[in-house]
Amino acid sequence: MTAFAYRGGQLYGEDVPLEAVAAALGTPTYVYSRAAMEQQYQAFAAALGAETQVCYAVKANPNLGILRLFAALGAGFDIVSGGELERVRRAGGDLRKVVFSGVGKSHAEIAAALEAGVFCLNVESPAELHRVAEVAGHLGRQAPIALRVNPDVDPGTHRYIATGLAESKFGIPIAAAPELYAQAARLPQIAVRGIACHIGSQLLDLAPLGAAAERVAALYHRLHDMGIPIQHLDLGGGVGIRYRDESPPTPAAYAEVLQRALAGIPARRVVELGRALVGNAGVLLTRVEYIKDNGSKTFCVVDAAMNDLLRPALYGAWHEILPVRAGRASPALTMDVVGPVCESGDFLAKDRPLAAAAGDLLAVMGAGAYGFAMSSNYNTRPRPAEVLLDGAGFRLLRRRETLDDLLSLEEV
Ligand SMILES: *Cc1c(COP(=O)(O)O)cnc(C)c1O
């Protein structure tokens, strides 16, 4: 399904002309389609079947309204901080379906997760295992854990979002895992529950995911032989989406690869999907401030910037940019689409053929994941509003920040 499409020369999201959203709420504004998110979730849940718990990776888009939407669909949640735990709680998510990942969990975060009764803490180092045991001991609880193993496979993605290589900071080398599982099994404050693995993000090739799952399966059997029963396998997330011309795995193909690698293993499965559920369900609406010609280059200066959408600056990521009103304005020119931030790295697109004039509205596509989530107030820029489309209506999920919001924590 494409939630965003032209009708009569106007770009719509669901049944709402995006111009109406900009007229009501201004720009820059993030706009998400409820139908698109629900459909992606249902497609993965159906393909993976009832033995798999789909957890939404909160960091991709942590807005409370979006968490509520996934909670209502039966999703669990993959969190990476105490802050995200609090978001799931306030959104009414089921805390017993929460997996807690991340290399740097603090004492307070571990305690909060144990008190909340989360499904599993995915432990990323021997030191963290001992910290979890210590905190659990203080609380008089047993901590349900998986070890996050690093299978040393190259996911073939951008190096900033590859997490399963030997050189990566994430997880425990899979060869060292059996010994650490044996230690964990001897700790009375620890309940060994699962094996976890996550090799990276924006994965387009299923082979590395299959290879990682096979290594996890081999570890499962090894632990079984050591007398350490494993109840669930958490295969991580990272399924990619189409930003430009990529061919990302379909839910069915993804499910089949996992199924094949894990055949005959009677453990429950967990996946942690972020980008694949929300990435193409969102756009960033922005208005053209100026067209500027430097002689050798033309710039389309818009009111959104790297502080609003960091992916192009951080990863050189490519986002499609569409005029909200098609076939208007001037002939297409090849332009860099840039924001007002004082950095040469502040761009949304480079050398892009675009027909746009000052005052035009543009939609930056594929902005639902790691968009608002990575935004900042750099250059003292209040962050955008966020809006949820629902059929012919839309509602605010987060109002635009004001300067008072930004300055209220500071003292002169
Ligand atoms: C970020 C992350 C995910 C989700 O990644 P996507 O590419 O958004 O699917 C899943 N699991 C862990 C441990 C993560 O850090």
Side-chain angles (χ1 to χ4, degrees):
M1 188 189 91
T2 6
F4 299 92
Y6 286 102
R7 290 187 204 166
Q10 274 245 53
L11 190 60
Y12 275 67
E14 300 198 13
D15 296 324
V16 178
L18 293 179
E19 231 167 51
V21 177
L25 295 161
T27 53
T29 292
Y30 276 98
V31 183
Y32 310 123
S33 159
R34 173 183 183 145
M37 291 188 270
E38 290 184 345
Q39 193 194 290
Q40 278 302 92
Y41 179 87
Q42 306 283 18
F44 277 99
L48 291 160
E51 78 273 20
T52 304
Q53 174 66 54
V54 177
C55 289
Y56 171 60
V58 172
K59 73 177 188 288
N61 187 330
N63 185 288
L64 292 176
I66 291 186
L67 302 187
R68 165 79 89 189
L69 183 155
F70 284 116
L73 295 171
F77 296 92
D78 170 54
I79 61 166
V80 293
S81 72
E84 290 189 349
L85 178 66
E86 189 57 24
R87 283 184 176 276
V88 174
R89 188 198 311 277
R90 292 196 192 183
D94 187 346
L95 298 172
R96 293 163 309 175
K97 292 186 191 167
V98 166
V99 294
F100 189 0
S101 309
V103 293
K105 300 177 196 77
S106 69
H107 285 98
E109 288 175 321
I110 293 165
L114 293 175
E115 280 172 337
V118 301
F119 178 68
C120 194
L121 286 94
N122 291 349
V123 169
E124 302 224 6
S125 64
E128 192 187 42
L129 176 67
H130 290 102
R131 181 179 285 184
V132 170
E134 176 202 325
V135 175
H138 280 141
L139 296 176
R141 291 174 186 257
Q142 235 196 353
I145 66 112
L147 295 187
R148 175 170 174 181
V149 297
N150 183 331
D152 194 17
V153 300
D154 185 349
T157 189
H158 190 284
R159 65 193 173 87
Y160 287 5
I161 51 176
T163 59
L165 287 164
E167 69 202 39
S168 134
K169 73 173 176 180
F170 296 100
I172 292 151
I174 196 161
E179 167 52 28
L180 195 57
Y181 269 105
Q183 276 184 41
R186 289 192 296 269
L187 292 170
Q189 310 89 332
I190 295 290
V192 172
R193 292 280 164 74
I195 304 173
C197 175
H198 171 70
I199 60 170
S201 197
Q202 184 56 10
L203 308 176
L204 297 169
D205 181 1
L206 282 168
L209 276 166
E214 278 167 21
R215 289 177 197 185
V216 167
L219 177 60
Y220 172 91
H221 292 300
R222 173 89 188 275
L223 295 175
H224 181 83
D225 293 345
M226 290 165 62
I228 300 175
I230 292 295
Q231 295 169 18
H232 75 264
L233 302 178
D234 177 344
L235 284 313
V239 174
I241 63 170
R242 173 174 296 178
Y243 286 104
R244 187 174 193 172
D245 51 9
E246 303 89 341
S247 307
T250 62
Y254 174 58
E256 199 201 314
V257 161
L258 296 187
Q259 193 49 44
R260 199 181 315 134
L262 307 177
I265 294 184
R268 196 162 162 67
R269 284 108 206 245
V270 176
V271 296
E272 308 162 342
L273 298 172
R275 189 190 311 270
L277 301 185
V278 295
N280 275 327
V283 305
L284 174 60
L285 277 183
T286 181
R287 204 175 279 283
V288 179
E289 297 277 17
Y290 305 100
I291 303 293
K292 169 172 177 173
D293 188 343
N294 269 5
S296 56
K297 217 166 170 85
T298 307
F299 296 94
C300 177
V301 184
V302 298
D303 65 2
M306 65 186 287
N307 74 293
D308 303 304
L309 179 64
L310 184 60
R311 297 188 69 260
L314 184 61
Y315 311 125
W318 194 97
H319 284 266
E320 184 166 27
I321 298 185
L322 296 176
V324 167
R325 201 170 269 243
R328 196 152 155 255
S330 34
L333 292 174
T334 298
M335 301 191 271
D336 283 7
V337 180
V338 302
V341 162
C342 298
E343 298 278 344
S344 292
D346 176 29
F347 63 90
L348 299 177
K350 291 268 194 196
D351 298 322
R352 193 66 63 83
L354 196 63
D360 282 3
L361 265 185
L362 302 175
V364 184
M365 309 304 289
Y370 306 105
F372 190 93
M374 288 182 147
S375 65
S376 77
N377 295 119
Y378 188 41
N379 281 207
T380 308
R381 289 171 50 84
R383 287 181 293 174
E386 293 178 285
V387 170
L388 187 68
L389 303 170
D390 192 357
F394 61 90
R395 68 192 169 83
L396 201 56
L397 290 182
R398 191 183 204 270
R399 67 167 170 80
R400 184 178 310 286
E401 287 177 346
T402 64
L403 287 174
D404 281 338
D405 291 331
L406 268 63
L407 301 179
S408 64
L409 301 178
E410 298 175 30
E411 311 271 343
V412 175

